Amino acid sequence: MLENDTAGDPIQGHRWCRRSTANLSQALSERGFEACPRSVARLLHSQKFSLRVNHKLLAPKTHPRRDEQFQRIADVRSRLSPSTPIVSVDSKKKELVGRFKNPGSTWKLEAEAVFDHDFPSWASDKAVPYGIYDLLANTGWIGLGLSSDTPAFAVDCLEAWWVAEGRLRYPDASELTVLADSGGSNGISPRAWKYLLQHKLCNRHGLTVTVAHYPSGCSKFNPIEHRLFSEISKNWAGVPLESVETIVNYISTTTTKTGLTVRAEVILNEYVVGIKIDDDKMAALSLTRHEPLPRLNYTISPNMPKNE
């Protein structure tokens, strides 16, 4: 009931709901369950939801049709069958590799000594984690890049997940649904994101890929944030990420009582920022935009252009 209304903090692991206890009480009543708002609050607390306080901060502009897109995403998720994979994708915060302070605390006899400043020049690498969370299987896959977070990197991670896990878990699937943020390497603006989805996933693997983007400012509602990234952050809390191997180990050993398992793979490719896709290449894509919010919702189907 709350799967489309739950947000979370990927660092602290807190969860909260965008609907009030009164609205939830009414929704339960319509389903034949009687629970007053106070009872709903107790139930939320038992499920590890946290109360949030107001902060006097200037709010950015919100998408004028925000709720409409949330309903669109809910409809897409409700129509999918168990044999049709749906994944939530996003880039996690970049991590400096070395003896840098990592938020959190651990049960140790003595505190570990770490650098007194977070100078990037002191790091042996900068890790770029890109995540794919399989909503149906409750599994996570992290591509750990050591270069730049670009659309090419995002699509390479998505393809690597499909080859390593997706096609094995869903052998009869011809469609893939992707939930993504509006910004970043997999956002609505980068042409390379759509172009590479066409060529590396649709054409190469015969997949029809439908993408639904969360409105700007709503990334916290993307399931990967509070179902995968928060658990990874809790697992390595207070531990200096001294090496790439340390990062991979903590990601791969992240589990939850609800059965989450995570796999990590290091991506050694170099990625160049600023790659441009011209109008002719975009026109050749087999891309269908969906009303009423065509920038946020689209499907890319396989095609085989002459130059492939």
Side-chain angles (χ1 to χ4, degrees):
M1 178 174 166
L2 293 178
E3 60 183 8
N4 297 311
D5 299 296
T6 298
D9 183 339
I11 303 300
Q12 301 297 329
H14 299 308
R15 295 198 301 166
W16 61 95
C17 178
R18 72 188 185 98
R19 300 172 67 179
S20 68
T21 54
N23 286 338
L24 290 173
S25 175
Q26 178 63 32
L28 287 171
S29 178
E30 292 171 356
R31 296 190 181 194
F33 302 96
E34 295 298 328
C36 69
R38 290 181 64 86
S39 296
V40 171
R42 287 194 295 271
L43 289 171
L44 288 173
H45 182 72
S46 70
Q47 296 299 313
K48 308 301 182 184
F49 282 79
S50 303
L51 287 171
R52 311 301 294 176
V53 298
N54 292 329
H55 292 274
K56 293 184 178 180
L57 300 173
L58 293 175
K61 292 183 179 179
T62 58
H63 194 282
R65 302 169 74 176
R66 174 180 182 271
D67 290 342
E68 193 172 352
Q69 179 61 7
F70 270 100
Q71 185 58 53
R72 164 77 183 184
I73 292 173
D75 291 343
V76 167
R77 293 176 64 173
S78 66
R79 289 197 300 266
L80 294 176
S81 69
S83 60
T84 303
I86 175 171
V87 296
S88 169
V89 303
D90 196 14
S91 298
K92 197 178 186 299
K93 181 178 74 70
K94 298 179 179 65
E95 302 288 350
L96 294 177
V97 181
R99 294 196 64 82
F100 296 95
K101 181 179 179 180
N102 199 6
S105 56
T106 57
W107 292 99
K108 292 187 177 181
L109 292 176
E110 295 182 359
E112 291 197 51
V114 295
F115 294 139
D116 58 355
H117 287 82
D118 293 340
F119 293 137
S121 59
W122 293 358
S124 59
D125 274 303
K126 179 179 286 188
V128 185
Y130 187 88
I132 295 100
Y133 174 70
D134 186 332
L135 275 71
L136 299 179
N138 190 28
T139 60
W141 189 97
I142 301 290
L144 193 66
L146 302 176
S147 181
S148 301
D149 183 16
T150 68
F153 172 60
V155 175
D156 279 357
C157 288
L158 196 51
E159 183 188 21
W161 167 82
W162 178 252
V163 171
E165 296 188 6
R167 67 181 180 182
L168 303 178
R169 190 174 296 135
Y170 306 98
D172 299 323
S174 60
E175 300 178 15
L176 172 66
T177 299
V178 178
L179 305 180
D181 291 350
S182 288
S185 57
N186 52 220
I188 60 176
S189 297
R191 288 184 167 191
W193 162 250
K194 302 177 185 67
Y195 177 82
L196 293 170
L197 283 178
Q198 175 77 78
H199 291 271
K200 291 194 173 185
L201 268 180
C202 300
N203 293 357
R204 189 175 294 175
H205 299 283
L207 285 172
T208 297
V209 178
T210 296
V211 183
H213 291 277
Y214 283 87
S216 56
C218 297
S219 62
K220 57 185 173 290
F221 289 99
N222 196 348
I224 195 172
E225 296 287 344
H226 52 278
R227 294 192 183 182
L228 178 59
F229 289 165
S230 63
E231 302 302 332
I232 294 172
S233 296
K234 287 189 287 186
N235 194 36
W236 68 29
V239 178
L241 304 177
E242 297 186 65
S243 66
V244 172
E245 291 74 17
T246 300
I247 296 175
V248 169
N249 178 65
Y250 275 96
I251 291 174
S252 301
T253 56
T254 298
T255 59
T256 64
K257 292 181 179 179
T258 58
L260 173 71
T261 58
V262 188
R263 176 179 174 180
E265 182 175 321
V266 179
I267 307 295
L268 296 176
N269 298 344
E270 288 290 329
Y271 295 96
V272 179
V273 299
I275 293 178
K276 305 295 183 182
I277 306 298
D278 60 35
D279 292 343
D280 290 340
K281 289 181 178 179
M282 290 300 295
L285 300 185
S286 182
L287 187 149
T288 302
R289 295 189 179 275
H290 303 297
E291 297 294 343
L293 297 166
R295 276 178 57 81
L296 297 178
N297 306 283
Y298 49 87
T299 295
I300 305 175
S301 305
N303 67 21
M304 294 303 295
K306 295 180 180 179
N307 60 353
E308 285 201 342

